[in-house]
Amino acid sequence: MIKQKEWEERYNAKRKAQVEAAKAAIRAEDMEKGIFIPVSQLPKQEPRKATLPASAAV
């Protein structure tokens, strides 16, 4: 039982690393195309108060 658990942990860690690498490659490709923009690179904006339509305020 312990060996099974150790194997699963090793397998999951290896699989997670592969998935993360694939995501990073896709993200880099999207950044080159201008599809993906990290939040840290967006212009700073102050929070705005939401306005309700007149029909919703009734």
Side-chain angles (χ1 to χ4, degrees):
M1 198 67 165
I2 294 172
K3 291 288 185 185
Q4 177 70 24
K5 185 83 168 164
E6 289 173 0
W7 180 86
E8 286 176 359
E9 288 174 1
R10 279 196 318 270
Y11 177 81
N12 289 339
K14 190 166 100 175
R15 180 76 179 130
K16 184 175 181 181
Q18 289 174 340
V19 169
E20 292 298 322
K23 284 182 182 179
I26 292 169
R27 186 173 293 122
E29 182 181 324
D30 287 348
M31 287 173 76
E32 286 177 11
K33 293 179 183 177
I35 298 170
F36 177 82
I37 301 172
V39 173
S40 62
Q41 293 180 357
L42 291 174
K44 300 273 186 219
Q45 293 182 343
E46 292 296 319
R48 293 180 281 175
K49 189 173 185 178
T51 56
L52 294 176
S55 60
V58 175

